[in-house]
Amino acid sequence: MAAENLKWWQKSIVYQIYPKSFQDTTGSGTGDLRGVIQHLDYLKNLGAGAIWLTPVYPSPMIDNGYDVADYTAIDPAYGTMADFENLIAEADKRGIKIVMDLVYNHSSDKHKWFLESKSNRTNAKADWYIWRDAKPDGSPPTNWRGIFGGSAWTWCAERQQYYLHSFAVEQPDLNWENPEVRQALYDAANFWLDKGVGGFRIDAIVYIKKPAEFIDGKPDSDGLASVHDVYANTSGILNFLYEFKEKVFAGRDIFTVAEANAVKPEELKYWVGENGAFDMLFEFSHVNIMFAKGEAWHYPYDWKLTELKKVLTDSQKATADNGWYPIYFENHDKPRSVNNFFPKGTDTIKAAKVLAAVLLTLRGTPFIYEGQELGCTNVEWDSIEDYDDIGSHGQYRLMLQEGLTAAQAMKCIHRFSRDNARTPMQWNAEKNAGFSTGKTWLPVNENYKTVNAAAEDKDSDSVLNWYKKLIDLRAANKELISGDYQLLLPESEEIFAFSRSLDGKTFITAVNFSNQKVNLPKDFIDKKIIIDSESNFDKNFLKPLEARIYQ
Ligand code: NOJ
């Protein structure tokens, strides 16, 4: 497709902000909306066209905002509605759209809808959530396990019934079968559209449709069956999604990107593209390549580069003619990519440049997670008690249950905890990395004295400036936006190389994922190098972790 015919969001870079960790302007130790406004020039300078803001609604913060207590307000910890409106206006002045996160599979158990629903069996919202009687012996209706571990059912004394929660106990699932529930959710989304938001990221949407019959799933070693295996992307879900599109998104100049970790390639056309429910969906196969079993952190898989290339190539092909994908290596649920895709001991600055070259030259909309553009890395805290992330606590319990020692379990927490990506943003070498003057809600990564935006801005060889170079290159060359993708050197276990071509003009990306020097084939040697992560490069080979773009 010609670049001229693409929509604005297909040509944009999206920057994801985890507001709690971005910039604190009050000394509270948690970030806020004014903090986001403070850094809009930084984001414009980087080349961002949109900001995906993870939830800023009122929330008890059991899951850091993914437990929403009011869908049409701002949590006072983040600021006021006036701050939010100001953010939209200030971002707009810089050509940046604000994208909100819709958490519609579940609400918080402190949402007034749930408080009413749980009060008795006859109230007006009695079936706004998913309630079932106990089994005759008093046990939960099914053996389903929530995604954060433990039974997906919690007993409610007032109603003498269980309610279903795909995630934490404090995140009861909404009953999408009820048209009033759906309408209330659509109204909330339209509320934000009226404020001028540029789109939505839609959370956990594959779980909204529950099976027609509630029966036990095939149990794992803990006797429970994951809700993901039981009902992710259950038949009938598309009817809800098409209605959602019609009532909210259709005809608007916005984009939608769904978190949809269960959609098979053959179903993709119903989910994205011309007639799909959404504009894009997040694919998980590359970010989960390091797991042998679901997303269990203690079953690591020793993946090969050819496997990573295959899944990325498959997703490039899946959307070659219809639909569009986001490209990402990080978000608030994943470890830092330099630690996730490279072994311990790797030079993370070089590794960050390798991933950036891939991220910014594949076909799709690149998503950059805060700090990724600085080459931020994982943290390692001593005890599970040091971790805030509810997912880490669930995984830790499961690991102990399955017989791992505390030390073994902590190793997995260090490797995969979601807190790795949630530490405060590293702005400068001052107190708390310039994030806050108060006591920060999570410790700052110790490497902030060197890995920070101010220092990297001044260093022409920094990860930050490498990102800027690539973003500028992408913006200036339509081949890198809409050109066809072709995998090169498919058998190589060291080099990831691919071309992007449009109307006879071609760019080639070649990056060395390995720690060895790798000689290049003759047809690469003859090509014109336009940028390289090494200042002293040799056209005949790639040094360890070298990234290069040819034209
Ligand atoms: C996916 C979100 O990205 C994650 O942070 C959250 O814990 C779950 N959905 C539940 O909302």
Side-chain angles (χ1 to χ4, degrees):
M1 190 194 286
E4 305 71 83
N5 299 334
L6 293 179
K7 307 241 172 60
W8 66 269
W9 48 266
Q10 293 175 297
K11 297 184 251 181
S12 296
I13 305 283
V14 181
Y15 189 89
Q16 185 192 347
I17 290 184
Y18 201 65
K20 200 170 176 181
S21 297
F22 195 61
Q23 178 70 59
D24 171 20
T25 61
T26 65
S28 66
T30 65
D32 47 57
L33 291 176
R34 289 184 181 197
V36 177
I37 296 172
Q38 197 174 302
H39 290 293
L40 285 172
D41 286 332
Y42 169 84
L43 298 176
K44 180 179 161 60
N45 201 2
L46 181 65
I51 294 171
W52 156 23
L53 215 52
T54 62
V56 288
Y57 317 106
S59 165
M61 297 282 166
I62 295 294
D63 189 17
N64 281 331
Y66 284 93
D67 45 327
V68 179
D70 182 346
Y71 286 107
T72 53
I74 298 291
D75 193 298
Y78 289 130
T80 61
M81 191 58 84
D83 291 333
F84 181 79
E85 285 162 1
N86 197 17
L87 170 61
I88 298 249
E90 288 298 321
D92 195 54
K93 280 185 202 158
R94 293 160 176 89
I96 299 175
K97 310 262 191 197
I98 301 296
V99 171
M100 295 294 266
D101 208 317
L102 296 181
V103 191
Y104 279 1
N105 174 67
H106 45 269
S107 73
S108 160
D109 64 343
K110 300 294 179 296
H111 195 295
K112 63 177 193 242
W113 298 343
F114 186 72
L115 296 178
E116 185 175 345
S117 189
K118 75 176 232 192
S119 61
N120 54 53
R121 296 190 191 191
T122 52
N123 67 75
K125 298 205 167 35
D127 64 348
W128 277 45
Y129 293 83
I130 298 170
W131 297 98
R132 289 288 185 281
D133 293 335
K135 280 188 180 157
D137 66 355
S139 62
T142 64
N143 69 346
W144 301 346
R145 180 179 58 242
I147 286 165
F148 294 144
S151 172
W153 295 99
T154 289
W155 179 249
C156 170
E158 290 99 315
R159 283 184 60 136
Q160 293 287 300
Q161 276 184 315
Y162 281 96
Y163 67 88
L164 180 67
H165 47 88
S166 301
F167 293 87
V169 172
E170 299 86 351
Q171 291 168 302
D173 280 34
L174 285 152
N175 179 14
W176 273 70
E177 300 297 335
N178 182 334
E180 282 177 27
V181 171
R182 302 203 299 274
Q183 192 56 50
L185 296 173
Y186 304 153
D187 289 348
N190 280 315
F191 171 91
W192 296 105
L193 286 170
D194 291 346
K195 299 246 172 245
V197 304
F200 298 108
R201 178 265 188 184
I202 298 130
D203 185 70
I205 199 71
V206 288
Y207 305 113
I208 59 171
K209 177 81 184 176
K210 309 301 187 281
E213 274 188 283
F214 282 27
I215 45 176
D216 284 356
K218 197 168 151 265
D220 294 323
S221 58
D222 61 353
L224 301 177
S226 159
V227 294
H228 182 83
D229 298 336
V230 176
Y231 58 72
N233 192 9
T234 285
S235 125
I237 190 171
L238 290 169
N239 295 337
F240 289 156
L241 300 184
Y242 292 149
E243 182 187 85
F244 194 2
K245 178 179 180 181
E246 188 203 310
K247 296 273 176 92
V248 182
F249 318 130
R252 306 241 193 193
D253 189 20
I254 60 161
F255 77 80
T256 54
V257 55
E259 189 197 25
N261 176 14
V263 177
K264 300 192 191 79
E266 60 273 22
E267 298 167 319
L268 196 65
K269 59 178 180 289
Y270 305 114
W271 284 76
V272 294
E274 196 79 350
N275 301 312
F278 302 108
D279 294 311
M280 301 185 262
L281 59 81
F282 284 116
E283 242 269 306
F284 279 64
S285 39
H286 64 303
V287 289
N288 284 347
I289 200 162
M290 49 293 290
F291 300 124
K293 206 168 143 189
E295 280 188 54
W297 296 354
H298 52 307
Y299 291 102
Y301 175 68
D302 196 12
W303 56 277
K304 293 198 169 71
L305 184 64
T306 44
E307 292 170 299
L308 179 67
K309 295 197 295 192
K310 180 175 183 323
V311 293
L312 286 172
T313 300
D314 286 351
S315 71
Q316 291 282 298
K317 284 192 186 148
T319 48
D321 300 320
N322 178 45
W324 195 258
Y325 264 145
I327 313 292
Y328 75 103
F329 289 117
E330 282 189 30
N331 62 35
H332 63 291
D333 293 332
K334 292 288 162 201
R336 289 298 185 174
S337 54
V338 289
N339 300 103
N340 209 13
F341 289 95
F342 294 89
K344 246 194 159 144
T346 299
D347 178 332
T348 56
I349 294 178
K350 289 184 195 281
K353 291 181 182 176
V354 162
L355 289 172
V358 176
L359 175 79
L360 294 161
T361 60
L362 280 177
R363 186 166 180 276
T365 298
F367 278 59
I368 299 171
Y369 178 72
E370 64 181 46
Q372 181 180 354
E373 78 280 17
L374 306 176
C376 282
T377 63
N378 282 357
V379 285
E380 284 188 11
W381 299 326
D382 294 341
S383 149
I384 188 64
E385 298 314 321
D386 299 330
Y387 286 77
D388 169 88
D389 167 31
I390 186 169
S392 298
H393 286 268
Q395 293 265 357
Y396 185 79
R397 274 194 302 273
L398 186 71
M399 290 189 263
L400 295 193
Q401 238 176 49
E402 293 204 355
L404 272 74
T405 64
Q408 287 167 330
M410 280 316 292
K411 252 186 150 177
C412 302
I413 298 292
H414 293 158
R415 172 78 179 80
F416 292 115
S417 173
R418 305 193 300 176
D419 280 348
N420 282 311
R422 299 176 179 185
T423 55
M425 178 68 177
Q426 296 167 210
W427 293 110
N428 54 46
E430 286 156 36
K431 184 184 172 195
N432 292 332
F435 162 70
S436 169
T437 54
K439 184 172 171 2
T440 62
W441 77 280
L442 274 188
V444 178
N445 190 316
E446 283 169 5
N447 65 11
Y448 77 94
K449 295 257 171 183
T450 50
V451 180
N452 69 66
E456 294 194 30
D457 189 44
K458 289 195 214 97
D459 172 5
S460 62
D461 198 28
S462 66
V463 176
L464 179 61
N465 279 315
W466 177 246
Y467 263 85
K468 284 186 188 162
K469 241 182 244 171
L470 288 162
I471 292 170
D472 288 349
L473 185 73
R474 184 182 178 93
N477 294 285
K478 56 184 195 290
E479 298 74 20
L480 289 175
I481 294 177
S482 59
D484 290 337
Y485 166 93
Q486 177 78 44
L487 180 67
L488 307 172
L489 310 180
E491 311 295 332
S492 173
E493 290 296 359
E494 292 88 22
I495 298 181
F496 187 6
F498 55 87
S499 62
R500 301 288 314 282
S501 313
L502 186 72
D503 300 335
K505 195 171 160 193
T506 298
F507 283 82
I508 290 177
T509 300
V511 299
N512 183 359
F513 264 74
S514 82
N515 263 317
Q516 291 141 32
K517 168 186 150 189
V518 183
N519 289 328
L520 287 160
K522 165 122 187 33
D523 50 338
F524 279 71
I525 293 168
D526 299 338
K527 291 194 175 19
K528 182 175 145 213
I529 299 171
I530 50 166
I531 56 169
D532 199 293
S533 61
E534 295 284 337
S535 45
N536 221 338
F537 57 81
D538 187 313
K539 67 181 177 129
N540 295 298
F541 58 84
L542 287 176
K543 293 181 189 171
L545 302 167
E546 180 170 358
R548 176 178 296 172
I549 316 280
Y550 302 91
Q551 196 189 325

